[in-house]
């Protein structure tokens, strides 16, 4: 299966899944998020046995690929390769991005979380497609998250790197515009969609913010 063409990827609204929040509704939530306008999805499974992780990844590839929406896998290159996913997102203590790139190939999407300016500086020439700015705001979804960058920190980061930046952590309809105005190409959200009573309405509301900020004046 050919991967989604990465030059065409829209980082504006990025859904990161959470099994604890979606539970058995994973398919339903991702379907709603597609209808609501997400441009990219990451399957993040921290406690799922490998076989079930691959099965979920395959099912999401089948759902997303016909719509041209890439699926990234959190942490696990083996799962991404087995499922034919479009890419991998790693953090600072996961596999080195150089190794991820070598295993996944040049057409895969590789993302890296950065929690400090020093990490961003170290990643300047790394073979990644985007940096996840982690976290922008305080979040209860990732208990071991680093101290937040804040909007000022994100503005500083925008000035120091040429990479595409995607903000994550504590982002919802109320503060999404600030993150984009600070220079992020996109916002990544977990609870704002996965934890919403109406994931379709929640996604539409976020998409509306992204589209409004991006309209050239
Ligand atoms: N990485 C940095 S913060 C975070 C991850 C996976 C969780 C973000 O969750 P939420 O609910 O969008 O704040
Ligand atoms: Mg990780």
């Amino acid at each position: 299966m050919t991967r989604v063409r990465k030059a065409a990827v829209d980082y504006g609204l990025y859904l990161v899944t959470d099994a604890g929040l979606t539970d058995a509704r994973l398919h339903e939530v991702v379907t709603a998020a597609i209808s609501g306008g997400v441009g990219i999805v990451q399957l993040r499974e921290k406690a799922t046995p490998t076989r079930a992780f691959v099965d979920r990844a395959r099912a999401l590839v089948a759902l997303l690929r016909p719509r041209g929406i890439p699926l990234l896998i959190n942490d696990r290159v083996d799962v991404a390769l087995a499922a034919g996913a479009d890419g991998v997102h790693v953090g600072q203590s996961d596999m080195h991005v150089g190794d991820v790139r070598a295993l996944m190939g040049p057409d895969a999407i590789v993302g890296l979380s950065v929690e400090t300016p020093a990490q961003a500086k170290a990643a300047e020439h790394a073979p990644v497609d985007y940096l996840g700015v982690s976290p922008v705001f305080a979040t209860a979804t990732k208990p071991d998250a680093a101290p937040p960058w804040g909007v000022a920190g994100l503005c500083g980061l925008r000035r120091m790197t040429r990479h595409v930046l995607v903000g994550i952590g504590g982002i919802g309809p109320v503060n999404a515009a600030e993150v984009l105005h600070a220079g992020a190409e996109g916002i990544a959200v977990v609870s704002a969609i996965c934890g919403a009573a109406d994931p379709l309405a929640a996604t539409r509301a976020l998409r509306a913010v992204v589209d409004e900020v991006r309209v050239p004046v």
Side-chain angles (χ1 to χ4, degrees):
M1 268 198 297
T2 316
R3 290 181 175 137
V4 170
R5 205 166 56 83
K6 68 179 182 178
V9 172
D10 169 18
Y11 289 97
L13 181 54
Y14 187 154
L15 169 67
V16 179
T17 69
D18 183 310
L21 288 175
T22 57
D23 198 19
R25 301 178 307 137
L26 176 66
H27 220 262
E28 187 186 316
V29 168
V30 174
T31 301
I34 293 168
S35 302
V38 291
I40 173 168
V41 177
Q42 180 189 135
L43 181 61
R44 184 170 177 270
E45 300 275 334
K46 292 298 192 187
T48 305
T50 300
R51 189 179 300 184
F53 194 172
V54 174
D55 289 346
R56 279 180 203 181
R58 267 205 189 99
L60 290 189
V61 167
L63 187 63
L64 293 162
R65 185 150 300 154
R67 285 140 179 115
I69 301 173
L71 178 74
L72 273 68
I73 303 298
N74 182 268
D75 291 354
R76 297 281 299 271
V77 172
D78 58 340
V79 172
L81 289 172
D86 299 285
V88 171
H89 182 94
V90 288
Q92 291 289 324
S93 50
D94 300 315
M95 188 183 283
H96 281 295
V97 285
D99 294 325
V100 175
R101 173 63 69 203
L103 289 165
M104 292 296 294
D107 66 334
I109 301 167
V110 177
L112 173 69
S113 292
V114 292
E115 297 167 345
T116 64
Q119 291 171 0
K121 193 160 184 278
E124 193 51 24
H125 300 290
V128 298
D129 297 288
Y130 72 91
L131 297 178
V133 185
S134 166
V136 178
F137 303 114
T139 175
T141 307
K142 183 173 158 70
D144 62 343
W149 283 87
V151 171
L154 174 55
C155 286
L157 180 57
R158 178 65 293 165
R159 288 192 293 270
M160 70 174 277
T161 180
R162 288 172 304 111
H163 285 302
V164 168
L165 298 177
V166 178
I168 185 165
I171 302 174
V174 171
N175 56 14
E178 282 180 73
V179 178
L180 298 166
H181 284 305
E185 273 75 3
I187 52 166
V189 303
V190 181
S191 55
I193 292 177
C194 295
D198 183 344
L200 173 58
T203 310
R204 281 193 175 136
L206 289 164
R207 184 80 236 178
V209 175
V210 172
D211 290 345
E212 197 178 305
V213 173
R214 284 167 146 196
V215 167
V217 284

